[in-house]
Amino acid sequence: MQQSIGIGLAGLGNVGAGVFKHLQANRTLLRERLGLDLEVRRIAVRDSARRASEGFPSALLTENWRELVEDPSVQIVVEVMGRREESLALILESIARKKIVVTANKALLAEHGREIFEAATKYGVPVFYEAAVGGGIPIIKALREALIGNHIISIHGIINGTSNYILTRMQEAGLSFPAALAEAQAAGYAEPDPAFDVNGWDAAHKAIILASLAYGFWVPTDKIFVEGIENLTSADFRFARQLGYGIKLLGIIKATSSTPGSEIEVRVHPTLVPEKHVLASVNGVFNAIAVHGNVVGETLFYGRGAGQDPTSSAILCDIAEAAEALANPRRNLGFMPHGLYGCCKPLDNILSEYYLRLCVEDRPGVIAKISGILGELQIGISSIFQPEADEEGSTVPLVMMLHTATHAQMRTALERIGALDCVCKPPQMIRAEHFS
Ligand code: NDP
Ligand code: HSE
């Protein structure tokens, strides 16, 4: 007789419904592989009558998530409600009752990871979160287990499927921003509030989780730099292509060196990626995460970064691991804090190369004024070109690629260049990455 493990599913939306469906469909496979039977015993939703009318088993449905936590036959609680306060309460109460938690809630982990794992340590209960980063890509397990013997030198990732889908559709099909976003929402890729996908914060939450896992301390949200894709224009894609680059929303995590104690930087922003680099060809909802370890060298993880099925796959992995952990208690509860790192580089000191697009008056002396400011600030120009203007008029675009400078240097440069009479619109600046 095989042991049966009880699961409480909190949330039956896009992700929760997928987990329920795939757990039923692959139950026999999982039983064969685990030697354990996985059974959903309770499901929390907001509107149980509606969900019952859709065919979900009414005997399992409840509108009170506390019933999952209090049910002694539930040993694993899967949180896919996507809320903050209620999800945090559900997770902390589950841990306190020694129920293993599986969550896909990256926003919650990024903001409350420390508190959650302090509770996990106090009660000796693991928390698994494979679906929180990279959809179906097993990047959490890779960092936690496969790369455990490495100091992580850098992580560069396309870690938001919705924004990558939007950028791809705008670039390749010429769709407008709202039309591309509507497609991503219809496909189930976007967050319940899609502003997080667009303003960079969903990717930032994931970058915080990756950085925290890689460096053993919870990176505070106010120590990272975040910029979204809202201000990108079709002209930027066109000019970037002429310069040999694609534009991607990247999460960039770096340690100053692989020596313990070195500063780390975490940032998310649109980035010019050389067309020859593998990340430039990651399109649509796909995510890719390049991890550089000091032993393994370069690695790349690729797959669908959002959507019901890939996310369900990651949650099934966590449920299986949770079921095994019930039989064999473990030391690593999903996050192992340590003191080898712990310091974030001040944002002003972060170094980048830059693309700068200006709208300038079409008259002599303009380039000299702009390059004069850059020169005074010790910012070198690596290339400059003045594309044809789209329309007849007295202004023209001016595009420059700039050598490495700090964020602080560039902020001053943008303020001074933007204030010039000959510069007609606020400058557009995008960071570039050469992965050296
Ligand atoms: P949805 O909005 O589609 O689903 C949320 C579900 O939670 C619904 O079933 C809702 O009930 C239920 N719910 C909300 N509040 C409560 C509550 N107080 N009590 C009981 N049930 C509640 O969200 P998603 O499925 O898209 O996302 C869920 C989580 O997964 C989020 O944290 C998201 O960030 C994360 N995630 C999403 C991915 C994706 O591709 N969409 C990928 C990776 C992670 P009802 O059905 O009655 O409305
Ligand atoms: N909205 C998220 C994305 C879901 O598009 O990447 C996956 O975490």
Side-chain angles (χ1 to χ4, degrees):
M1 179 74 177
Q2 271 160 330
Q3 192 188 341
S4 178
I5 305 284
I7 295 166
L9 187 56
L12 195 58
N14 187 33
V15 176
V19 171
F20 184 73
K21 176 178 80 178
H22 291 295
L23 258 180
Q24 309 305 314
N26 288 0
R27 187 166 172 178
T28 309
L29 174 75
L30 285 160
R31 190 164 50 219
E32 291 300 315
R33 287 186 172 155
L34 292 170
L36 299 165
D37 186 44
L38 302 175
E39 186 184 14
V40 177
R41 298 203 173 129
R42 219 86 182 95
I43 306 175
V45 292
R46 271 177 304 200
D47 183 345
S48 54
R50 179 171 62 84
R51 307 320 302 266
S53 74
E54 290 166 3
F56 292 101
S58 56
L60 302 188
L61 294 171
T62 170
E63 292 176 6
N64 178 6
W65 56 258
R66 284 200 165 75
E67 286 184 21
L68 268 62
V69 180
E70 287 161 6
D71 186 336
S73 75
V74 167
Q75 290 134 297
I76 300 171
V77 171
V78 179
E79 185 281 306
V80 282
M81 299 195 302
R83 299 292 179 103
R84 305 278 175 97
E85 282 179 17
E86 284 166 309
S87 294
L88 181 62
L90 167 81
I91 288 174
L92 293 177
E93 287 187 29
S94 299
I95 291 171
R97 286 175 183 254
K98 301 245 178 199
K99 292 175 196 288
I100 299 186
V101 171
V102 171
T103 179
N105 201 330
K106 50 264 159 128
L108 190 69
L109 285 168
E111 287 169 11
H112 297 280
R114 190 175 171 159
E115 185 182 350
I116 289 170
F117 279 94
E118 279 172 2
T121 305
K122 179 175 169 191
Y123 290 97
V125 175
V127 176
F128 297 113
Y129 48 99
E130 188 60 71
V133 185
I137 305 172
I139 185 65
I140 300 295
K141 217 170 167 55
L143 279 174
R144 207 180 58 216
E145 295 179 6
L147 300 177
I148 194 167
N150 285 258
H151 279 285
I152 302 300
I153 294 167
S154 66
I155 301 176
H156 290 85
I158 294 172
I159 46 179
N160 180 267
T162 301
S163 58
N164 203 44
Y165 183 88
I166 293 171
L167 295 181
T168 305
R169 295 291 284 155
M170 286 172 72
Q171 249 173 305
E172 293 185 352
L175 251 66
S176 69
F177 194 104
L181 173 59
E183 282 190 359
Q185 287 179 289
Y189 304 151
E191 290 305 293
D193 178 357
F196 286 92
D197 295 296
V198 170
N199 66 20
W201 270 98
D202 178 73
H205 291 143
K206 294 166 179 168
I208 287 174
I209 294 171
L210 292 180
S212 303
L213 199 51
Y215 297 107
F217 71 101
W218 283 97
V219 173
T221 47
D222 63 350
K223 299 283 184 219
I224 71 169
F225 176 80
V226 185
E227 189 180 297
I229 61 170
E230 310 97 317
N231 297 325
L232 294 175
T233 67
S234 56
D236 294 317
F237 289 113
R238 203 167 61 245
F239 298 149
R241 187 166 284 177
Q242 285 176 33
L243 289 161
Y245 295 90
I247 303 180
K248 296 291 178 190
L249 183 73
L250 282 197
I252 300 176
I253 299 159
K254 289 182 187 173
T256 310
S257 75
S258 62
T259 319
S262 74
E263 287 181 331
I264 68 150
E265 64 184 66
V266 182
R267 49 196 166 107
V268 170
H269 49 71
T271 310
L272 262 70
V273 177
E275 265 170 0
K276 285 187 191 140
H277 194 276
V278 65
L279 289 180
S281 54
V282 174
N283 289 322
V285 72
F286 281 85
N287 282 193
I289 303 155
V291 182
H292 188 180
N294 76 334
V295 182
V296 71
E298 296 283 357
T299 59
L300 183 72
F301 301 85
Y302 174 80
R304 286 180 193 278
Q308 187 175 74
D309 292 345
T311 310
S312 299
S313 167
I315 291 176
L316 293 191
C317 160
D318 279 351
I319 292 174
E321 200 169 353
E324 288 190 318
L326 284 168
N328 303 299
R330 53 184 59 207
R331 178 169 177 268
N332 188 327
L333 300 173
F335 177 77
M336 287 296 286
H338 59 74
L340 295 183
Y341 300 86
C343 189
C344 292
K345 185 181 265 192
L347 298 180
D348 273 354
N349 297 354
I350 289 177
L351 291 165
S352 283
E353 293 171 46
Y354 301 88
Y355 154 102
L356 188 59
R357 175 173 59 79
L358 303 170
C359 173
V360 297
E361 287 177 3
D362 191 9
R363 62 176 165 81
V366 168
I367 293 180
K369 279 190 182 172
I370 294 163
S371 58
I373 292 176
L374 292 170
E376 281 169 29
L377 292 166
Q378 306 294 315
I379 302 173
I381 300 172
S382 58
S383 67
I384 181 164
F385 77 106
Q386 196 155 45
E388 291 294 313
D390 282 342
E391 297 157 18
E392 288 282 315
S394 57
T395 63
V396 285
L398 178 66
V399 177
M400 296 174 161
M401 291 301 297
L402 305 179
H403 284 303
T404 306
T406 63
H407 280 202
Q409 275 173 297
M410 267 316 280
R411 193 176 50 245
T412 309
L414 291 181
E415 280 165 15
R416 289 183 56 188
I417 290 171
L420 290 172
D421 289 345
C422 57
V423 174
C424 310
K425 289 185 188 164
Q428 166 75 313
M429 181 267 278
I430 306 175
R431 290 162 183 83
E433 188 72 14
H434 287 100
F435 305 92
S436 54

